Amino acid sequence: MAAATPQVERAAKGAKNSAALAFLRAPKQLLINGKWQPAKSGKTFETINPANEEVLALIAEGDKADVDEAVKAARKAFEEGAWPKMSPHQRARLMFKIADTIDQHADELAELETLDNGKPLTFSRNFDIPAVAETFRYYAGWVTKIYGETNPSDPSFFNYTLREPVGVCGQIIPWNFPLLMAAWKLGPALACGNTCILKPAEQTPLTALRLGELLMEAGLPPGVVNIITGFGPGAGSAIAEHPDIDKVAFTGSTEVGKIILKASAGNLKKVSLELGGKAPNIIFPDADLDQAVPTAMMGVYFNSGQVCCAGTRIFVQRDRYDEIVEKLANFSKNVKVGDPFEQGNLLGPVVSREQFDRVKGYLSIGAEEGAKAAAGGAPVEGKGYFIQPTLFADVNNNMKIAREEIFGPVGAAIAFKDENDVVFQGNDTTYGLSAGIWTKDVGRAHKMARALKAGTVWINCFNQIDPIAPFGGYKQSGFGRELGKYAIDLYTQVKSVWMKLS
Ligand code: NAI
Ligand code: MG
């Protein structure tokens, strides 16, 4: 099917930034070895504005042939290029410059993110893009602080370790925080001296492509970052299977995480996986409800619920259940959904038709399972993939809506009896990415933090994320920890050097 020429003015309604609009009009190609080129197949695909269902741009559809070429470029840049061998000071300076460049283009990047993903501009401008710059800046700081060790060997020997880059890294990212996920992957990989092939999600390729241009302008050597847009089964699987990629980092569904792990076995790539979640957020009756209620509900609705660590199972103690659920529902009814460019809207659309249909499916499942929609419960009529913020009450932890990741603005309020019961129910899930606890009892808070099987536990807060702190999952939420010093482990390997002294 021949793709229609995008009508940028119509598709990008609400966008004001002239650089963003100019970028939308320019061709979108693949970045390989520092040059932009079309896919070898000549194919393109459409990227859609989920707020109005219009085509924003045509994107090159990279596949195996393009990935092969990108891997050659990345391999050459790694084995022969300046990047891994550069003085750490110089590499750090370049990464600081990248962070500054992102700040300078923040308005433009924020508008592109909002157009492609649908998230309110307030969030892309005040959360996503600043966090992208901070992530590069944080890892720029690490470049000069990646230490080996001197080990207590027998005195007739000298033993020390070197931390070396892993090599060529394939990085496959999702569409919920498109540019931030690119930064979580590229930041630490580049800091450690690796070279990369980044595959953005097919729903949201725009900001990664613009970042590619900014990286080149900042002076990153050719081949250090290559960007291949395309689909999972074409470009993504070619990365996961590639015999000359040393490491693959993936954020996305648990289903695809398992496929990637299997594919990586061919050459035993190192793998890190950041997958789904179904986080418990536990409100004890002694909590400060004025804080707990809005924060817990925004822990479900933020980014239209398309957050792997969203606190979608809200646990409320049985003897106060009706009263607290009423407060949660009242807050939910006042959360504004609509045009992501309009101030005051806390929710935009979900990212795609596919996601819209999936979430709608869960709204029906919830009703069929006997849960009661205490707020919302339906999509918003009209153009765009908007869904009402929904809180299901009378949910039990065995219902599908309490077990499966919905990835939409849909929460489930579940009753619990006491601490033991809520630890059991909270941990009764295949996932383990995050958990929340609301209480003023300090002892209980720390006891619960130990008991919950999750990679991140938030006490009297939620969705607190910062490059200083590790992030990743227990159980089927994946393995490996991104961010903090832990990402340095993901992107280096340790060499032990022995020398005989006498
Ligand atoms: P997905 O896991 O299919 O997509 C994520 C990335 O993986 C995209 O770049 C995609 O192109 C790529 N991919 C897909 N199939 C692949 C394959 N066979 N080999 C290599 N790469 C592949 O996620 P999707 O289908 O967009 O969303 C489905 C569900 O996944 C959501 O409803 C949500 O529950 C979950 N999800 C979780 C995310 C997280 O942050 N943990 C992010 C996105 C989705
Ligand atoms: Mg998929």
Side-chain angles (χ1 to χ4, degrees), residues 172-177 181 199-203 230-240 250-257 259-260 263 274-277 306-309 351-352 354-355 358-359 362 404-408 431 433 477:
I172 303 172
I173 57 172
W175 40 261
N176 50 349
F177 297 92
M181 290 302 104
K199 194 201 88 62
E202 56 271 30
Q203 297 84 349
F231 293 96
S237 60
I239 290 173
F250 171 74
T251 299
S253 61
T254 296
E255 180 196 352
V256 173
I259 296 175
I260 286 177
E274 202 267 272
L275 309 174
Q306 303 163 120
V307 181
C308 45
C309 53
V351 74
S352 63
E354 186 188 358
Q355 203 57 26
R358 179 179 286 140
V359 178
Y362 279 107
E404 298 178 10
E405 184 174 55
I406 298 175
F407 235 59
Y431 294 113
L433 192 57
S477 291

Short mmCIF file of all heavy atoms in Angstrom, two decimals, residues 172-177 181 199-203 230-240 250-257 259-260 263 274-277 306-309 351-352 354-355 358-359 362 404-408 431 433 477, ligand 1:
data_model
loop_
_atom_site.label_atom_id
_atom_site.label_comp_id
_atom_site.label_asym_id
_atom_site.label_seq_id
_atom_site.Cartn_x
_atom_site.Cartn_y
_atom_site.Cartn_z
N ILE A 172 17.06 -2.11 22.35
CA ILE A 172 15.69 -2.12 21.80
C ILE A 172 14.77 -1.49 22.83
O ILE A 172 14.69 -1.96 23.96
CB ILE A 172 15.26 -3.57 21.48
CG1 ILE A 172 16.27 -4.21 20.52
CG2 ILE A 172 13.85 -3.59 20.91
CD1 ILE A 172 16.04 -5.70 20.29
N ILE A 173 14.09 -0.42 22.43
CA ILE A 173 13.37 0.36 23.44
C ILE A 173 11.88 0.52 23.09
O ILE A 173 11.48 0.36 21.94
CB ILE A 173 14.03 1.74 23.65
CG1 ILE A 173 14.12 2.52 22.34
CG2 ILE A 173 15.40 1.57 24.29
CD1 ILE A 173 14.59 3.95 22.51
N PRO A 174 11.07 0.84 24.10
CA PRO A 174 9.63 0.96 23.90
C PRO A 174 9.19 2.40 23.62
O PRO A 174 10.01 3.31 23.52
CB PRO A 174 9.09 0.48 25.24
CG PRO A 174 10.07 1.01 26.22
CD PRO A 174 11.42 0.97 25.54
N TRP A 175 7.88 2.58 23.60
CA TRP A 175 7.28 3.84 23.14
C TRP A 175 6.72 4.68 24.28
O TRP A 175 6.18 5.74 24.05
CB TRP A 175 6.14 3.52 22.16
CG TRP A 175 5.34 2.32 22.58
CD1 TRP A 175 5.46 1.03 22.11
CD2 TRP A 175 4.31 2.25 23.59
NE1 TRP A 175 4.59 0.19 22.76
CE2 TRP A 175 3.87 0.91 23.67
CE3 TRP A 175 3.71 3.20 24.43
CZ2 TRP A 175 2.86 0.49 24.54
CZ3 TRP A 175 2.73 2.80 25.31
CH2 TRP A 175 2.32 1.45 25.35
N ASN A 176 6.80 4.19 25.53
CA ASN A 176 6.14 4.95 26.61
C ASN A 176 6.92 6.19 27.06
O ASN A 176 6.35 7.21 27.39
CB ASN A 176 5.77 4.04 27.79
CG ASN A 176 6.90 3.17 28.26
OD1 ASN A 176 7.94 3.06 27.60
ND2 ASN A 176 6.72 2.54 29.40
N PHE A 177 8.26 6.05 27.09
CA PHE A 177 9.13 7.20 27.37
C PHE A 177 10.22 7.17 26.30
O PHE A 177 11.37 6.83 26.59
CB PHE A 177 9.72 7.11 28.77
CG PHE A 177 8.68 7.16 29.86
CD1 PHE A 177 8.12 6.00 30.36
CD2 PHE A 177 8.23 8.38 30.34
CE1 PHE A 177 7.13 6.04 31.33
CE2 PHE A 177 7.24 8.45 31.31
CZ PHE A 177 6.70 7.28 31.81
N MET A 181 14.02 6.46 27.43
CA MET A 181 14.53 5.08 27.33
C MET A 181 15.79 5.04 26.48
O MET A 181 16.73 4.28 26.76
CB MET A 181 13.46 4.15 26.75
CG MET A 181 12.30 3.89 27.68
SD MET A 181 12.80 3.17 29.26
CE MET A 181 12.66 4.58 30.34
N LYS A 199 17.38 0.70 18.51
CA LYS A 199 16.13 0.56 17.75
C LYS A 199 14.97 1.13 18.55
O LYS A 199 14.48 0.54 19.50
CB LYS A 199 15.82 -0.90 17.42
CG LYS A 199 14.71 -0.92 16.35
CD LYS A 199 13.94 -2.20 16.26
CE LYS A 199 12.75 -2.28 17.17
NZ LYS A 199 11.69 -1.28 16.92
N PRO A 200 14.50 2.32 18.13
CA PRO A 200 13.33 2.90 18.80
C PRO A 200 12.08 2.08 18.47
O PRO A 200 12.07 1.31 17.51
CB PRO A 200 13.20 4.29 18.17
CG PRO A 200 14.38 4.48 17.28
CD PRO A 200 14.98 3.14 17.02
N ALA A 201 11.04 2.26 19.27
CA ALA A 201 9.77 1.59 18.99
C ALA A 201 9.14 2.17 17.72
O ALA A 201 9.28 3.37 17.45
CB ALA A 201 8.83 1.76 20.17
N GLU A 202 8.46 1.34 16.99
CA GLU A 202 7.87 1.77 15.71
C GLU A 202 6.78 2.82 15.91
O GLU A 202 6.49 3.60 15.02
CB GLU A 202 7.32 0.55 14.93
CG GLU A 202 6.30 -0.32 15.68
CD GLU A 202 6.96 -1.43 16.50
OE1 GLU A 202 8.10 -1.24 16.96
OE2 GLU A 202 6.29 -2.48 16.67
N GLN A 203 6.19 2.86 17.12
CA GLN A 203 5.13 3.85 17.38
C GLN A 203 5.70 5.25 17.60
O GLN A 203 5.00 6.23 17.42
CB GLN A 203 4.34 3.45 18.64
CG GLN A 203 3.59 2.14 18.56
CD GLN A 203 4.46 0.92 18.88
OE1 GLN A 203 5.69 1.02 18.98
NE2 GLN A 203 3.84 -0.23 19.00
N GLY A 230 12.32 0.71 12.74
CA GLY A 230 11.68 -0.44 12.10
C GLY A 230 10.86 -1.20 13.11
O GLY A 230 10.66 -0.74 14.24
N PHE A 231 10.40 -2.38 12.70
CA PHE A 231 9.50 -3.17 13.53
C PHE A 231 10.25 -4.21 14.36
O PHE A 231 11.42 -4.50 14.09
CB PHE A 231 8.45 -3.85 12.66
CG PHE A 231 7.52 -2.85 12.01
CD1 PHE A 231 7.75 -2.40 10.72
CD2 PHE A 231 6.44 -2.35 12.72
CE1 PHE A 231 6.90 -1.46 10.13
CE2 PHE A 231 5.58 -1.41 12.15
CZ PHE A 231 5.81 -0.97 10.85
N GLY A 232 9.56 -4.77 15.32
CA GLY A 232 10.16 -5.79 16.19
C GLY A 232 10.63 -7.01 15.41
O GLY A 232 11.81 -7.38 15.46
N PRO A 233 9.72 -7.65 14.69
CA PRO A 233 10.12 -8.87 13.98
C PRO A 233 11.18 -8.63 12.89
O PRO A 233 11.92 -9.54 12.57
CB PRO A 233 8.81 -9.37 13.36
CG PRO A 233 7.75 -8.76 14.21
CD PRO A 233 8.28 -7.42 14.64
N GLY A 234 11.28 -7.44 12.32
CA GLY A 234 12.31 -7.18 11.30
C GLY A 234 13.60 -6.70 11.93
O GLY A 234 14.57 -7.46 12.07
N ALA A 235 13.61 -5.44 12.34
CA ALA A 235 14.85 -4.84 12.86
C ALA A 235 15.18 -5.38 14.25
O ALA A 235 16.35 -5.69 14.54
CB ALA A 235 14.68 -3.32 12.91
N GLY A 236 14.18 -5.50 15.11
CA GLY A 236 14.43 -5.91 16.50
C GLY A 236 15.01 -7.31 16.58
O GLY A 236 16.03 -7.54 17.25
N SER A 237 14.38 -8.27 15.88
CA SER A 237 14.87 -9.64 15.98
C SER A 237 16.24 -9.76 15.34
O SER A 237 17.08 -10.56 15.80
CB SER A 237 13.87 -10.63 15.38
OG SER A 237 13.66 -10.32 14.03
N ALA A 238 16.53 -8.96 14.30
CA ALA A 238 17.87 -9.02 13.68
C ALA A 238 18.93 -8.60 14.70
O ALA A 238 20.04 -9.14 14.71
CB ALA A 238 17.92 -8.11 12.45
N ILE A 239 18.59 -7.65 15.57
CA ILE A 239 19.53 -7.23 16.62
C ILE A 239 19.70 -8.36 17.65
O ILE A 239 20.81 -8.74 18.01
CB ILE A 239 19.04 -5.93 17.29
CG1 ILE A 239 19.17 -4.76 16.31
CG2 ILE A 239 19.80 -5.65 18.58
CD1 ILE A 239 18.57 -3.45 16.78
N ALA A 240 18.56 -8.90 18.09
CA ALA A 240 18.62 -9.93 19.15
C ALA A 240 19.41 -11.16 18.69
O ALA A 240 20.10 -11.80 19.49
CB ALA A 240 17.20 -10.32 19.55
N PHE A 250 17.05 -4.54 26.58
CA PHE A 250 15.68 -4.45 26.09
C PHE A 250 14.76 -3.91 27.17
O PHE A 250 14.86 -4.31 28.33
CB PHE A 250 15.21 -5.84 25.65
CG PHE A 250 13.73 -5.91 25.32
CD1 PHE A 250 13.25 -5.36 24.14
CD2 PHE A 250 12.82 -6.50 26.19
CE1 PHE A 250 11.89 -5.41 23.83
CE2 PHE A 250 11.46 -6.56 25.89
CZ PHE A 250 11.00 -6.01 24.70
N THR A 251 13.88 -3.02 26.79
CA THR A 251 12.77 -2.63 27.65
C THR A 251 11.49 -2.83 26.84
O THR A 251 11.39 -2.34 25.71
CB THR A 251 12.87 -1.17 28.10
OG1 THR A 251 14.07 -1.01 28.85
CG2 THR A 251 11.70 -0.77 28.98
N GLY A 252 10.53 -3.54 27.40
CA GLY A 252 9.27 -3.77 26.70
C GLY A 252 8.49 -4.88 27.37
O GLY A 252 8.60 -5.08 28.59
N SER A 253 7.73 -5.62 26.57
CA SER A 253 6.84 -6.62 27.14
C SER A 253 7.62 -7.84 27.60
O SER A 253 8.67 -8.18 27.05
CB SER A 253 5.80 -7.05 26.10
OG SER A 253 6.44 -7.62 24.98
N THR A 254 7.07 -8.54 28.59
CA THR A 254 7.68 -9.78 29.09
C THR A 254 7.70 -10.82 27.97
O THR A 254 8.68 -11.56 27.83
CB THR A 254 6.89 -10.27 30.32
OG1 THR A 254 7.06 -9.28 31.36
CG2 THR A 254 7.41 -11.60 30.84
N GLU A 255 6.65 -10.82 27.17
CA GLU A 255 6.56 -11.76 26.05
C GLU A 255 7.78 -11.61 25.11
O GLU A 255 8.45 -12.59 24.77
CB GLU A 255 5.25 -11.43 25.32
CG GLU A 255 4.93 -12.26 24.14
CD GLU A 255 3.83 -11.58 23.28
OE1 GLU A 255 3.24 -10.54 23.72
OE2 GLU A 255 3.59 -12.06 22.18
N VAL A 256 8.06 -10.40 24.70
CA VAL A 256 9.18 -10.17 23.77
C VAL A 256 10.52 -10.34 24.51
O VAL A 256 11.48 -10.83 23.93
CB VAL A 256 9.08 -8.79 23.08
CG1 VAL A 256 10.32 -8.48 22.26
CG2 VAL A 256 7.85 -8.75 22.18
N GLY A 257 10.55 -10.02 25.79
CA GLY A 257 11.77 -10.25 26.58
C GLY A 257 12.21 -11.71 26.51
O GLY A 257 13.39 -12.01 26.38
N ILE A 259 11.50 -13.81 24.09
CA ILE A 259 11.98 -14.08 22.71
C ILE A 259 13.43 -13.61 22.57
O ILE A 259 14.27 -14.29 21.99
CB ILE A 259 11.08 -13.34 21.69
CG1 ILE A 259 9.65 -13.89 21.73
CG2 ILE A 259 11.66 -13.44 20.28
CD1 ILE A 259 8.67 -13.14 20.84
N ILE A 260 13.71 -12.44 23.13
CA ILE A 260 15.05 -11.87 23.01
C ILE A 260 16.07 -12.73 23.76
O ILE A 260 17.17 -12.98 23.27
CB ILE A 260 15.03 -10.41 23.50
CG1 ILE A 260 14.35 -9.58 22.41
CG2 ILE A 260 16.44 -9.88 23.80
CD1 ILE A 260 14.15 -8.15 22.71
N ALA A 263 16.79 -15.69 21.64
CA ALA A 263 17.58 -15.34 20.45
C ALA A 263 19.03 -15.04 20.82
O ALA A 263 19.95 -15.28 20.03
CB ALA A 263 16.96 -14.13 19.75
N GLU A 274 14.25 -5.21 30.98
CA GLU A 274 13.38 -4.45 31.87
C GLU A 274 11.98 -4.60 31.32
O GLU A 274 11.67 -4.04 30.28
CB GLU A 274 13.87 -2.99 31.90
CG GLU A 274 13.43 -2.26 33.14
CD GLU A 274 12.14 -1.54 32.91
OE1 GLU A 274 12.18 -0.39 32.45
OE2 GLU A 274 11.08 -2.14 33.19
N LEU A 275 11.15 -5.39 32.03
CA LEU A 275 9.89 -5.84 31.43
C LEU A 275 8.68 -5.29 32.18
O LEU A 275 8.78 -4.23 32.80
CB LEU A 275 9.90 -7.37 31.38
CG LEU A 275 11.17 -7.96 30.73
CD1 LEU A 275 11.21 -9.46 30.83
CD2 LEU A 275 11.32 -7.50 29.29
N GLY A 276 7.60 -6.00 32.13
CA GLY A 276 6.34 -5.46 32.66
C GLY A 276 6.25 -5.45 34.18
O GLY A 276 7.18 -5.84 34.89
N GLY A 277 5.12 -4.98 34.66
CA GLY A 277 4.89 -4.94 36.10
C GLY A 277 3.40 -4.92 36.43
O GLY A 277 2.56 -4.72 35.55
N GLN A 306 0.76 4.09 30.94
CA GLN A 306 1.72 3.32 30.14
C GLN A 306 3.11 3.40 30.78
O GLN A 306 4.03 4.00 30.26
CB GLN A 306 1.72 3.86 28.71
CG GLN A 306 0.33 3.81 28.09
CD GLN A 306 0.22 4.70 26.87
OE1 GLN A 306 -0.08 4.23 25.79
NE2 GLN A 306 0.46 5.98 27.01
N VAL A 307 3.18 2.83 31.96
CA VAL A 307 4.39 2.90 32.78
C VAL A 307 4.59 1.51 33.37
O VAL A 307 3.67 0.95 33.96
CB VAL A 307 4.20 3.92 33.94
CG1 VAL A 307 5.45 4.01 34.78
CG2 VAL A 307 3.81 5.29 33.40
N CYS A 308 5.80 0.96 33.18
CA CYS A 308 6.01 -0.42 33.63
C CYS A 308 5.92 -0.53 35.14
O CYS A 308 5.53 -1.57 35.67
CB CYS A 308 7.35 -0.94 33.13
SG CYS A 308 8.67 0.24 33.34
N CYS A 309 6.25 0.55 35.86
CA CYS A 309 6.22 0.48 37.33
C CYS A 309 4.92 1.07 37.90
O CYS A 309 4.82 1.33 39.10
CB CYS A 309 7.44 1.18 37.93
SG CYS A 309 7.69 2.87 37.35
N VAL A 351 -1.00 5.36 23.25
CA VAL A 351 -0.06 5.61 22.16
C VAL A 351 -0.55 5.20 20.77
O VAL A 351 -0.14 5.78 19.77
CB VAL A 351 1.30 4.92 22.45
CG1 VAL A 351 1.19 3.42 22.26
CG2 VAL A 351 2.42 5.49 21.61
N SER A 352 -1.42 4.18 20.68
CA SER A 352 -1.73 3.63 19.36
C SER A 352 -3.11 2.98 19.37
O SER A 352 -3.69 2.71 20.43
CB SER A 352 -0.69 2.56 18.99
OG SER A 352 -0.79 1.48 19.93
N GLU A 354 -3.64 -0.04 18.56
CA GLU A 354 -3.46 -1.37 19.15
C GLU A 354 -3.59 -1.29 20.68
O GLU A 354 -4.26 -2.10 21.31
CB GLU A 354 -2.07 -1.89 18.76
CG GLU A 354 -1.82 -3.33 19.18
CD GLU A 354 -0.37 -3.76 18.94
OE1 GLU A 354 0.43 -2.96 18.39
OE2 GLU A 354 -0.04 -4.89 19.32
N GLN A 355 -2.93 -0.28 21.26
CA GLN A 355 -2.95 -0.14 22.71
C GLN A 355 -4.35 0.25 23.19
O GLN A 355 -4.83 -0.23 24.21
CB GLN A 355 -1.90 0.90 23.14
CG GLN A 355 -1.44 0.77 24.56
CD GLN A 355 -0.86 -0.60 24.87
OE1 GLN A 355 -0.37 -1.31 23.99
NE2 GLN A 355 -0.95 -1.00 26.13
N ARG A 358 -6.45 -2.80 23.16
CA ARG A 358 -6.05 -3.69 24.26
C ARG A 358 -6.65 -3.20 25.58
O ARG A 358 -7.24 -3.96 26.34
CB ARG A 358 -4.53 -3.72 24.34
CG ARG A 358 -3.99 -4.58 25.44
CD ARG A 358 -2.46 -4.59 25.44
NE ARG A 358 -1.91 -5.37 24.35
CZ ARG A 358 -0.85 -5.03 23.63
NH1 ARG A 358 -0.23 -3.90 23.86
NH2 ARG A 358 -0.41 -5.81 22.66
N VAL A 359 -6.55 -1.90 25.84
CA VAL A 359 -7.05 -1.36 27.11
C VAL A 359 -8.57 -1.46 27.17
O VAL A 359 -9.15 -1.85 28.19
CB VAL A 359 -6.57 0.10 27.31
CG1 VAL A 359 -7.13 0.68 28.60
CG2 VAL A 359 -5.04 0.17 27.33
N TYR A 362 -9.61 -4.75 28.27
CA TYR A 362 -9.53 -4.97 29.72
C TYR A 362 -10.68 -4.28 30.46
O TYR A 362 -11.11 -4.76 31.51
CB TYR A 362 -8.18 -4.51 30.27
CG TYR A 362 -7.09 -5.54 30.06
CD1 TYR A 362 -6.10 -5.35 29.11
CD2 TYR A 362 -7.09 -6.71 30.80
CE1 TYR A 362 -5.10 -6.29 28.91
CE2 TYR A 362 -6.10 -7.67 30.61
CZ TYR A 362 -5.12 -7.46 29.66
OH TYR A 362 -4.15 -8.41 29.46
N GLU A 404 -2.87 -9.22 35.00
CA GLU A 404 -2.20 -8.91 33.72
C GLU A 404 -1.90 -7.43 33.61
O GLU A 404 -2.68 -6.59 34.06
CB GLU A 404 -3.09 -9.39 32.57
CG GLU A 404 -3.29 -10.90 32.62
CD GLU A 404 -4.21 -11.43 31.53
OE1 GLU A 404 -4.56 -10.68 30.59
OE2 GLU A 404 -4.58 -12.62 31.63
N GLU A 405 -0.77 -7.14 32.98
CA GLU A 405 -0.40 -5.73 32.80
C GLU A 405 -1.34 -5.13 31.75
O GLU A 405 -1.39 -5.60 30.62
CB GLU A 405 1.05 -5.63 32.33
CG GLU A 405 1.52 -4.20 32.21
CD GLU A 405 3.01 -4.09 31.90
OE1 GLU A 405 3.45 -4.68 30.89
OE2 GLU A 405 3.73 -3.41 32.65
N ILE A 406 -2.05 -4.07 32.11
CA ILE A 406 -3.01 -3.46 31.19
C ILE A 406 -2.35 -2.35 30.38
O ILE A 406 -2.58 -2.19 29.20
CB ILE A 406 -4.24 -2.93 31.97
CG1 ILE A 406 -4.95 -4.10 32.67
CG2 ILE A 406 -5.20 -2.18 31.04
CD1 ILE A 406 -6.12 -3.69 33.56
N PHE A 407 -1.47 -1.61 30.99
CA PHE A 407 -0.74 -0.52 30.32
C PHE A 407 -1.70 0.52 29.76
O PHE A 407 -1.61 0.95 28.61
CB PHE A 407 0.17 -1.09 29.22
CG PHE A 407 1.60 -0.67 29.37
CD1 PHE A 407 2.32 -0.97 30.51
CD2 PHE A 407 2.24 0.03 28.35
CE1 PHE A 407 3.65 -0.58 30.65
CE2 PHE A 407 3.57 0.42 28.47
CZ PHE A 407 4.28 0.11 29.63
N GLY A 408 -2.62 0.92 30.60
CA GLY A 408 -3.57 1.97 30.28
C GLY A 408 -3.99 2.59 31.60
O GLY A 408 -3.60 2.10 32.67
N TYR A 431 5.05 -10.67 38.45
CA TYR A 431 5.96 -9.53 38.26
C TYR A 431 6.62 -9.10 39.56
O TYR A 431 6.23 -9.56 40.64
CB TYR A 431 5.16 -8.35 37.70
CG TYR A 431 4.61 -8.57 36.31
CD1 TYR A 431 3.24 -8.67 36.08
CD2 TYR A 431 5.47 -8.68 35.21
CE1 TYR A 431 2.73 -8.85 34.80
CE2 TYR A 431 4.97 -8.87 33.93
CZ TYR A 431 3.61 -8.95 33.73
OH TYR A 431 3.11 -9.13 32.47
N LEU A 433 8.47 -5.49 39.71
CA LEU A 433 9.27 -4.31 39.35
C LEU A 433 9.27 -3.26 40.45
O LEU A 433 10.31 -2.70 40.79
CB LEU A 433 8.73 -3.72 38.04
CG LEU A 433 9.59 -2.67 37.38
CD1 LEU A 433 10.99 -3.20 37.08
CD2 LEU A 433 8.95 -2.17 36.09
N SER A 477 9.68 -9.50 35.83
CA SER A 477 9.90 -8.11 35.41
C SER A 477 11.31 -7.93 34.84
O SER A 477 11.67 -6.81 34.46
CB SER A 477 9.68 -7.16 36.59
OG SER A 477 8.31 -7.14 36.95
P1 NAI B 1 6.85 -4.86 22.65
O1 NAI B 1 7.57 -5.56 23.73
O2 NAI B 1 6.37 -5.68 21.49
O3 NAI B 1 7.75 -3.67 22.06
C1 NAI B 1 8.85 -3.08 22.68
C2 NAI B 1 10.02 -3.00 21.69
O4 NAI B 1 10.39 -4.32 21.30
C3 NAI B 1 9.72 -2.25 20.40
O5 NAI B 1 10.87 -1.55 19.98
C4 NAI B 1 9.43 -3.38 19.43
O6 NAI B 1 9.65 -3.04 18.08
C5 NAI B 1 10.41 -4.42 19.88
N1 NAI B 1 10.07 -5.81 19.51
C6 NAI B 1 8.83 -6.35 19.35
N2 NAI B 1 8.93 -7.64 18.98
C7 NAI B 1 10.24 -7.94 18.91
C8 NAI B 1 11.00 -9.10 18.58
N3 NAI B 1 10.39 -10.25 18.24
N4 NAI B 1 12.35 -9.05 18.63
C9 NAI B 1 12.98 -7.91 18.97
N5 NAI B 1 12.33 -6.76 19.27
C10 NAI B 1 10.97 -6.77 19.25
O7 NAI B 1 5.63 -4.11 23.32
P2 NAI B 1 4.24 -3.67 22.61
O8 NAI B 1 3.73 -4.76 21.73
O9 NAI B 1 4.43 -2.36 22.01
O10 NAI B 1 3.31 -3.54 23.88
C11 NAI B 1 2.69 -4.70 24.44
C12 NAI B 1 2.66 -4.66 25.93
O11 NAI B 1 3.99 -4.70 26.42
C13 NAI B 1 2.07 -3.42 26.56
O12 NAI B 1 0.69 -3.49 26.64
C14 NAI B 1 2.73 -3.44 27.90
O13 NAI B 1 2.03 -4.32 28.75
C15 NAI B 1 4.10 -4.01 27.64
N6 NAI B 1 5.13 -2.96 27.53
C16 NAI B 1 5.96 -2.75 28.59
C17 NAI B 1 6.87 -1.73 28.55
C18 NAI B 1 7.79 -1.45 29.69
O14 NAI B 1 8.20 -0.31 29.87
N7 NAI B 1 8.19 -2.44 30.46
C19 NAI B 1 6.97 -0.82 27.40
C20 NAI B 1 6.12 -1.18 26.31
C21 NAI B 1 5.21 -2.20 26.40
#
